[in-house]
Amino acid sequence: MLSRLVARDFRNFEQLDLSIPAEGLVVVGDNGHGKTNLLEAISYLSLVRSVRGARDSDVVRFGAPAFHIRAELLPVGADPTAHRSVGIGYERTGKRKKVTLDGVEQARLTAALGAVPSVGFSPADVSLVVGGPGERRRFLDIVLALTSPAYLQALQRYRAALLRRNAALRAGGGGGGGHRERDRNFSSNEEQVAIWEPMLAEHGGMIAALRHSFVQLHAERFSTLCESIGESGMAAMKYSASNLVADAEKDSSAAQAEGFRTAYEAQRPSEFRRGTTLVGPHRDELQLFLDGRDLRVFGSAGQQRTAAIALRLLEFATVRDALGRTPLLLLDDPFAELDSRRAARVLQLLGNSGIGQVMLAVPRREEIPDAFTLLERRQMVNGRIYRYGE
C-alpha cells in the first residue's frame, strides 16, 4: 500500500509531500485546486503515463523544466519481490523519462507498470461509453497490459510495427498526387509495406484474441453489475474485430492472425490511397448494448453512467484477481452525478469485493459517503495540502 507520495512540478504541485494512512485519505477542496491532479499523480505511478491521456510535457508545471513523482510503499503480506519505492521523472529537454524501483533506474519504462496498482472512479468515466471507440480500446489495453505480460509485449510490438507500416504507406504516396501517380507508388512500395505485415498479424492476432477472451469471460458479469447498480434493461458487451474470423475461433491468436493477413492483402490498395492501416486491433471496437441497442447512441445519461461504473468495477476485480491483492481505490468525486440509491449500490458492490486503501477527493465534506467518514482528511488549496480545518 501507499505510505507516502512526493510530487515536484507535477501539474500545479510545486512541491507536494503527503503521508497516507493505511486505510487511506479524504482530500477536500474546491474544484480547480488540484484534487484530480493528486489522483492523477498516483495513477501515473501505475500506468507510467497520464490516465487522462495528457502528453508528458503537458503535466510538467508551467515554467518548470521537469517533473518527478515518487511513492514509498509498504508491502502487503510477505511477498519478497514487493517494491519499497517507485519513482518516475520526465525532463522537457530531450523528452527523457526514467523510472526507478527501490532507487535503481530501470532499463525499460514498463518495469514500473503496475508497481502501484490502482483503479480510479470518476464522473468523467462516462466517456468510456459515450466516447469514440478509442476510449474503449484504451480501457481494454490498460486492463490487459496490467494483468497479462503477454498482452503488454504484443501491444508494444504491434504499435512499433504499425508505426513503420503507416510510414511506408505514406511514403508510397497515400493521400497525394493523381490516381496514376498513386498507382505507380503502390507498385513500387508494396514490398516495403508488406514486410511489416507478418509482425502486425502475429501480434495483432494475440491482442485481438486476448481482448475477445476477456470480453467473453466478463460479458455476463458486466450485465449482472449493471443490474446490481440499478439498471432494469439487459446490458451486454461484445468485441468487434476488423477482420473476418469465425465466432468459434475468435479466441485463437493464430486464427486472428490469419484473418489479419488476409485483410491486409485485400485492403492494401485502399490503404495506399489513404496512407494508413485500415485493419487491425487499433481499429476494433468494444461494443456496449442495452436491450440490444447501442448504449452510446440510445442510452440515457443514467444508463451510460451505470455502464461506465460497471466497466470500472470489472477493471477493479480483474486487477485484484490477477495480482492477488486489492488495488488502491482512487475516487474522484465519483458519485456527483449518481442518485443516492445507485451510489449506495456501487459502494456495496465495492465493499463486497473488499475495499483496501482509498484515496477519495470531494469538493465538500458533506459529500463524503458514510462508508468513508472515518478516514483522515486533508484540505487542498492551490496545489498545497493542509490538515483539514487549518
Side-chain angles (χ1 to χ4, degrees):
M1 64 182 65
L2 187 59
S3 65
R4 184 185 179 203
L5 177 71
V6 177
R8 185 181 70 248
D9 293 328
F10 183 91
R11 291 291 190 181
N12 69 326
F13 303 133
E14 181 178 1
Q15 184 69 49
L16 179 90
D17 193 334
L18 179 64
S19 295
I20 302 171
E23 297 79 13
L25 202 62
V26 176
V27 179
V28 182
D30 291 336
N31 293 332
H33 282 253
K35 301 189 309 296
T36 298
N37 295 343
L38 175 66
L39 301 185
E40 182 183 13
I42 296 172
S43 65
Y44 199 108
L45 292 163
S46 177
L47 303 178
V48 200
R49 59 180 296 182
S50 168
V51 71
R52 294 150 79 178
R55 298 177 301 178
D56 289 322
S57 59
D58 292 335
V59 302
V60 180
R61 189 174 63 88
F62 183 74
F67 78 76
H68 183 263
I69 47 179
R70 186 180 83 255
E72 294 181 5
L73 310 171
L74 292 176
V76 178
D79 183 0
T81 65
H83 298 293
R84 297 283 180 171
S85 70
V86 54
I88 303 178
Y90 173 82
E91 298 176 357
R92 287 186 191 271
T93 304
K95 299 181 178 180
R96 182 173 182 264
K97 180 158 61 176
K98 69 175 183 178
V99 303
T100 60
L101 294 174
D102 299 328
V104 179
E105 185 173 350
Q106 303 297 301
R108 300 178 65 87
L109 296 177
T110 52
L113 194 69
V116 186
S118 64
V119 175
F121 289 73
S122 162
D125 290 339
V126 72
S127 64
L128 292 174
V129 180
V130 302
E135 295 281 349
R136 291 176 287 283
R137 286 194 297 266
R138 187 168 181 267
F139 166 79
L140 291 174
D141 285 343
I142 288 174
V143 175
L144 290 169
L146 287 173
T147 58
S148 170
Y151 186 90
L152 174 60
Q153 184 180 71
L155 184 64
Q156 291 174 316
R157 293 180 176 177
Y158 179 84
R159 286 175 172 172
L162 179 64
L163 188 67
R164 289 164 174 79
R165 186 176 189 267
N166 282 342
L169 285 168
R170 290 192 296 272
H179 290 294
R180 291 183 180 179
E181 181 182 350
R182 287 200 297 267
D183 289 343
R184 286 196 299 270
N185 286 332
F186 166 68
S187 299
S188 62
N189 288 279
E190 185 175 8
E191 184 177 343
Q192 286 87 337
V193 170
I195 196 172
W196 297 107
E197 292 172 5
M199 184 182 297
L200 272 182
E202 176 187 354
H203 300 304
M206 173 72 75
I207 292 168
L210 289 175
R211 284 180 181 175
H212 177 76
S213 295
F214 174 85
V215 173
Q216 285 289 100
L217 179 64
H218 294 292
E220 184 176 350
R221 195 173 194 176
F222 172 74
S223 178
T224 301
L225 284 169
C226 288
E227 181 181 0
S228 299
I229 295 170
E231 182 49 58
S232 59
M234 176 60 69
M237 63 179 181
K238 176 184 178 182
Y239 185 68
S240 178
S242 55
N243 60 7
L244 297 177
V245 177
D247 288 344
E249 296 185 300
K250 286 184 177 178
D251 60 353
S252 164
S253 58
Q256 291 280 5
E258 182 58 34
F260 285 131
R261 278 190 287 268
T262 301
Y264 293 142
E265 186 172 353
Q267 290 285 342
R268 212 177 290 144
S270 296
E271 291 174 331
F272 262 102
R273 287 191 292 271
R274 297 181 62 175
T276 190
T277 301
L278 299 176
V279 292
H282 67 289
R283 307 280 293 198
D284 293 351
E285 164 73 300
L286 173 62
Q287 296 177 301
L288 304 174
F289 302 96
L290 186 66
D291 292 332
R293 306 179 77 185
D294 188 344
L295 255 171
R296 181 188 179 192
V297 178
F298 298 103
S300 69
Q303 291 166 339
Q304 291 165 343
R305 283 195 290 271
T306 295
I309 291 172
L311 289 176
R312 287 299 187 209
L313 288 168
L314 278 180
E315 180 182 359
F316 184 82
T318 303
V319 173
R320 180 200 61 208
D321 294 346
L323 300 182
R325 61 186 186 275
T326 304
L328 177 62
L329 194 58
L330 306 177
L331 303 176
D332 189 3
D333 199 12
F335 309 122
E337 299 178 10
L338 282 182
D339 59 70
S340 58
R341 179 176 58 90
R342 294 197 181 205
R345 289 183 175 182
V346 173
L347 283 170
Q348 183 179 2
L349 288 167
L350 285 169
N352 293 342
S353 298
I355 297 177
Q357 195 176 32
V358 176
M359 290 291 294
L360 170 65
V362 292
R364 292 169 294 276
R365 68 177 184 177
E366 294 81 11
E367 298 182 35
I368 301 174
D370 291 343
F372 304 126
T373 53
L374 295 180
L375 293 178
E376 287 190 30
R377 301 176 190 178
R378 298 290 185 273
Q379 188 90 24
M380 175 74 75
V381 181
N382 292 326
R384 295 180 179 274
I385 288 282
Y386 302 91
R387 289 193 174 276
Y388 189 77
E390 288 185 352

